Amino acid sequence: DAGITQSPRHKVTETGTPVTLRCHQTENHRYMYWYRQDPGHGLRLIHYSYGVKDTDKGEVSDGYSVSRSKTEDFLLTLESATSSQTSVYFCAIRDPGQRSYGYTFGSGTRLTVV
Amino acid sequence: DQQVKQNSPSLSVQEGRISILNCDYTNSMFDYFLWYKKYPAEGPTFLISISSIKDKNEDGRFTVFLNKSAKHLSLHIVPSQPGDSAVYFCAASGVNSGYALNFGKGTSLLVTP
């Protein structure tokens, strides 16, 4: 989507390896979020950030860490990937002054852990 | 625990008829409710929202109704079109967790010609 890009779009990795997903925005929004989407679960919040170096956990944060050293980049790291982390990962950004339309989402990263 | 629930995984409607998608929530602190639409291999896109101070919001063919006492909202699509076929997610947010959105599991809508 305009203003937000995720990389890579697809990745296959082996169990036990570290993986980092990147979210990049050009909107200068303060809030950024990582969600995962799984069949039967909808979208679940992993971590979010409310500013540079300010992050907090969501409902499914175990096994994940995040970093935000610049406003425009929010990184999601799987320290040691497991098969249960096979999922589609979405990054989102939010303009804090506009609650009426919630987030803008990226196109997603499909991660397969084998 | 799921705080936003969409109890119908799928819905099939004929073109031109009304589609009604339902959503229930449990957290009385939610004060903003949104609907997102998602096509395969794409990110969700915003469709329509409603604040807790309102009971109805309309945007073209899409209307969202909010019943706070029942903790229930619904999305009406009239008339339904084949291009509306997608997964629809209900979401809610409150002051907690950085205004993070809590999503339902989604309802897959199929509009048949």
Side-chain angles (χ1 to χ4, degrees), chain A residues 49-91:
Chain A
S49 170
Y50 44 96
V52 173
K53 294 189 176 10
D54 291 323
T55 65
D56 207 346
K57 296 179 180 180
E59 65 177 298
V60 290
S61 60
D62 287 349
Y64 301 95
S65 63
V66 290
S67 67
R68 190 160 178 210
S69 58
K70 299 184 290 184
T71 299
E72 57 265 35
D73 289 325
F74 193 30
L75 304 180
L76 177 70
T77 298
L78 289 66
E79 302 291 346
S80 177
T82 67
S83 58
S84 65
Q85 293 176 311
T86 291
S87 185
V88 181
Y89 291 86
F90 289 101
C91 177

Side-chain angles (χ1 to χ4, degrees), chain A residues 33 35 37 40 99-101 103 106, chain B residues 31 36 49 93 98 100-101 105:
Chain A
Y33 306 82
Y35 281 84
Q37 186 197 3
R99 291 192 68 196
S100 60
Y101 56 77
Y103 306 160
Chain B
D31 62 351
Y36 280 80
S49 65
S93 76
L101 289 178
K105 295 181 180 182

Side-chain angles (χ1 to χ4, degrees), chain B residues 4-6 22-25 33-36 73 88-92 102-107:
Chain B
V4 178
K5 300 178 182 179
Q6 294 176 257
N22 293 303
C23 178
D24 298 292
Y25 63 96
F33 305 90
L34 306 95
W35 286 92
Y36 280 80
L73 63 154
Y88 289 79
F89 289 100
C90 173
N102 296 268
F103 285 87
K105 295 181 180 182
T107 296

Side-chain angles (χ1 to χ4, degrees), chain A residues 1 9 31 33 35 37 40-45 48 50 57 59 90 94 99-108 110, chain B residues 1-2 31-32 34 36 38 41-46 48-49 89 93-95 97-106:
Chain A
D1 204 343
R9 289 296 311 274
Y31 287 87
Y33 306 82
Y35 281 84
Q37 186 197 3
H41 289 280
L43 290 135
R44 293 180 292 174
L45 180 66
Y48 67 98
Y50 44 96
K57 296 179 180 180
E59 65 177 298
F90 289 101
R94 184 173 76 83
R99 291 192 68 196
S100 60
Y101 56 77
Y103 306 160
T104 300
F105 281 88
S107 299
R110 181 174 293 276
Chain B
D1 263 356
Q2 195 95 15
D31 62 351
Y32 234 102
L34 306 95
Y36 280 80
K38 186 183 181 304
E42 294 182 11
T45 56
F46 170 75
I48 192 169
S49 65
F89 289 100
S93 76
V95 181
S97 300
Y99 296 99
L101 289 178
N102 296 268
F103 285 87
K105 295 181 180 182

